[in-house]
């Protein structure tokens, strides 16, 4: 029986140690972020301006079955205040449904208005989004290439705010911050915005300020065309072709500029099935990219600190493996604490991970994303949202862990798009049969069973008179229960329409 106890304790401590190290690395990015903000207050940066000649820009809009948002996208792109004769729009439509007819109609409409716009259709959706971008890059006439996914609504001044930064010949990419047009739609969208705000403030700006490697986020950014070619072009061997190419570009000496003050609004997935498909793609693709590029990073001439942070970044999706592992081991751990005479008070040292991540999320949201809101209301909102966000993250750990494991194993899968439903206001509805799935997955069933498992953990703690894991098990029960509930509920919407 002793060896089983040691396995349980060892597994729990390994998971807890990995999570703590990851959180401390995030706190280091926060440190760089705060230094950057203090420096800006003392010496505001002078923004580069377009002087005289305006470079020609190609705008690429990769689409696949975007029936509800394609019209909105093209209308918005044609509002850019860049001279018509200095940019072209390539609508890269791989659709297999009637949305391609909307693309055709909108392209013809704007051609008649004098826009240089073209619909590019492929006979075969080879390579998914990466394949579409690779093929279209050959046809691009622009010195620079701006890319927008179907759910993005950039401001008219987007090109005028981004293109000047390429005056530095070492700059290969300019990435802007994502905004959220439907953040207030539901608890699910609110929690997604809460997490993304961290990436687009503390993480991205922290990496740039610390002279670390960062990433192009696949959309709402601009590439120097020669950078794409120099870095080996778009490749479809991972599901995160954006992360892959941006790292290869930086390994070749190119610089990425991140513009936190330029907001590019986008629609968040409004239902659980869409959120899961997006998470699957990001987590599996992150693992694939780590497997592909980590050897190159460690054999490169990058400084050691850049290699460490790049590794943490690329291995970021692996955190869910250890969150899942931590939860699973935590229930049987209750049975071995007393027999092994464990002093749980010594484990309080690991609370540093919780404090670190709280600080990161507080700064990213209360001080940055919500800076225009009432401070007291923002703090109260944070106190409510943070534990719910932790629960959601824990609840997604099984789903995301499976995606990560598939990525490391090299199991290939298709690029599953995240459906968008033109949700811009709380009165809008995603109860539409199109792009919705009818079937409940076996992963969702397991998530329901895990909710029961952690409910058992709560009961076990009460039975044994041990409250050391009580809050953790409550969050796990709530998290898995929430994921299961919304997964089933949103499937039910489909069957009723």
């Amino acid at each position: 029986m002793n060896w089983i106890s040691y396995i349980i304790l060892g597994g729990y401590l390994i998971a807890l140690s990995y999570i703590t190290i990851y959180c401390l690395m995030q706190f280091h990015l926060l440190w760089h972020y705060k230094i950057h903000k203090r420096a800006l207050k003392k010496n505001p940066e002078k923004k580069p301006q377009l002087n005289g000649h305006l470079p020609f820009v190609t705008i690429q809009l990769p689409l696949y079955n975007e029936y509800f948002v394609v019209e909105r996208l093209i209308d918005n792109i044609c509002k850019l205040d860049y001279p018509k004769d200095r940019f072209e729009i390539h609508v890269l439509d791989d659709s297999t449904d009637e949305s391609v007819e909307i693309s055709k109609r909108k392209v013809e409409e704007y051609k008649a208005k004098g826009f240089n716009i073209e619909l590019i259709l492929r006979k075969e959706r080879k390579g998914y989004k990466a394949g579409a971008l690779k093929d279209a890059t050959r046809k691009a006439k622009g010195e620079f290439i701006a890319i927008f996914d179907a759910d993005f609504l950039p401001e008219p001044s987007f090109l005028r705010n981004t293109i000047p930064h390429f005056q530095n010949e070492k700059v290969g990419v300019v990435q802007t911050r994502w905004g959220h047009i439907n953040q207030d739609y539901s608890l699910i969208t609110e929690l997604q915005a809460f997490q993304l705000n961290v990436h687009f403030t503390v993480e991205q700006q922290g990496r740039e300020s610390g002279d670390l490697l960062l990433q192009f986020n696949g959309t709402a950014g601009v590439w120097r065309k020669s950078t794409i070619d120099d870095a080996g072009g778009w490749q479809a061997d991972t599901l995160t072709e954006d992360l892959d190419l941006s790292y290869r570009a930086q390994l070749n000496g190119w610089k990425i500029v991140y513009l936190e003050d330029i907001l590019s609004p986008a629609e968040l997935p409004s239902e659980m099935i869409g959120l899961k498909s997006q998470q699957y793609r990001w987590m599996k693709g992150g693992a694939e990219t780590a497997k592909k590029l980590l050897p190159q990073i460690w054999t490169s001439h990058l400084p050691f600190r850049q290699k460490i942070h790049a590794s943490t970044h690329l291995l970021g999706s692996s955190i869910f493996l250890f969150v899942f592992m931590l939860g699973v081991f935590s229930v049987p751990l209750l049975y071995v604490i007393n027999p092994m005479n464990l002093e749980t008070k010594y484990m309080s040292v690991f609370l540093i991970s919780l404090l670190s991540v709280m600080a990161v999320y507080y700064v990213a949201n209360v001080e940055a994303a919500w800076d225009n809101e009432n401070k007291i209301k923002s703090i109260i909102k944070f106190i409510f949202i943070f534990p719910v966000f932790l629960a959601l993250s824990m609840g997604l750990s099984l789903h995301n862990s499976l995606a990560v494991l598939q990525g490391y194993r090299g199991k290939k899968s298709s690029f599953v798009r995240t459906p968008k439903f033109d949700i811009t206001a709380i009165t809008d509805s995603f109860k539409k049969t199109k792009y919705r799935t009818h079937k409940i997955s076996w992963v969702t069933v397991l998530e329901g069973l895990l909710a029961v498992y952690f409910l058992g953990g709560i009961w076990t703690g009460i039975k044994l008179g041990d409250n050391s894991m009580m809050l953790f098990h409550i969050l796990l029960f709530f998290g898995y229960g929430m994921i299961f509930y919304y997964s089933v509920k949103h499937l039910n919407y489909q069957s009723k329409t």
Side-chain angles (χ1 to χ4, degrees), residues 380-393:
I380 293 173
K381 181 179 177 181
F382 178 82
I383 292 171
F384 167 74
I385 288 183
F386 183 73
V388 179
F389 168 76
L390 285 182
L392 177 74
S393 299

Side-chain angles (χ1 to χ4, degrees), residues 205-468:
Q205 189 63 70
R207 289 189 180 105
E208 184 182 48
S209 304
D211 190 27
L212 304 170
L213 275 64
L214 54 161
Q215 73 179 94
F216 169 65
N217 295 104
T219 177
V222 186
W223 281 84
R224 190 187 296 270
K225 186 180 179 183
S226 59
T227 302
I228 297 175
D229 296 333
D230 180 66
W234 296 103
Q235 297 174 7
D237 53 349
T238 76
L239 291 180
T240 47
E241 71 292 323
D242 45 6
L243 177 63
D244 173 31
L245 182 58
S246 52
Y247 260 74
R248 284 188 278 118
Q250 289 170 104
L251 286 170
N252 277 13
W254 293 98
K255 177 179 173 58
I256 295 180
V257 169
Y258 178 65
L259 303 178
E260 184 184 349
D261 59 332
I262 305 300
L263 207 61
S264 297
E267 180 180 336
L268 296 162
S270 52
E271 38 78 43
M272 185 57 68
I273 309 305
L275 171 59
K276 280 184 169 181
S277 70
Q278 186 182 73
Q279 288 286 307
Y280 172 86
R281 190 173 68 251
W282 288 353
M283 297 305 115
K284 184 181 179 184
E288 291 172 332
T289 304
K291 182 179 178 181
K292 175 181 178 179
L293 294 183
L294 279 178
Q296 296 180 43
I297 287 169
W298 282 98
T299 56
S300 72
H301 297 294
L302 292 174
F304 181 74
R305 61 184 179 79
Q306 288 187 344
K307 291 179 180 180
I308 288 292
H309 266 285
S311 300
T312 304
H313 185 192
L314 291 176
L315 293 170
S317 60
S318 301
I319 191 71
F320 286 100
L321 289 170
F322 293 93
V323 170
F324 177 72
M325 182 177 168
L326 189 73
V328 169
F329 278 112
S330 67
V331 175
L333 186 66
L334 289 170
Y335 288 100
V336 304
I337 288 176
N338 289 331
M340 295 185 73
N341 295 315
L342 295 175
E343 291 287 345
T344 55
K345 64 181 180 181
Y346 294 120
M347 289 190 184
S348 61
V349 67
F350 292 106
L351 284 175
I352 191 173
S353 62
L354 178 62
L355 295 175
S356 296
V357 78
M358 279 185 69
V360 168
Y361 276 80
Y362 179 87
V363 171
N365 287 282
V366 176
E367 294 187 6
W370 306 341
D371 61 331
N372 293 324
E373 299 181 20
N374 179 276
K375 195 62 175 276
I376 295 177
K377 288 183 179 179
S378 294
I379 293 173
I380 293 173
K381 181 179 177 181
F382 178 82
I383 292 171
F384 167 74
I385 288 183
F386 183 73
V388 179
F389 168 76
L390 285 182
L392 177 74
S393 299
M394 294 174 187
L396 280 169
S397 63
L398 169 64
H399 174 273
N400 288 356
S401 292
L402 293 172
V404 170
L405 289 173
Q406 287 183 7
Y408 286 133
R409 282 175 51 212
K411 181 179 179 181
K412 295 302 177 183
S413 58
S414 60
F415 186 106
V416 180
R417 59 178 289 281
T418 304
K420 298 300 192 305
F421 299 97
D422 191 19
I423 303 294
T424 58
I426 199 168
T427 54
D428 293 333
S429 173
F430 61 84
K431 302 178 186 179
K432 302 162 184 175
T433 57
K434 198 173 187 63
Y435 307 141
R436 303 297 305 282
T437 178
H438 294 272
K439 298 178 181 179
I440 185 169
S441 73
W442 63 270
V443 176
T444 297
V445 174
L446 286 178
E447 288 163 346
L449 292 175
L450 281 166
V452 176
Y453 175 73
F454 292 112
L455 181 62
I458 296 171
W459 179 83
T460 299
I462 295 172
K463 180 183 176 183
L464 297 176
D466 187 344
N467 296 322
S468 60

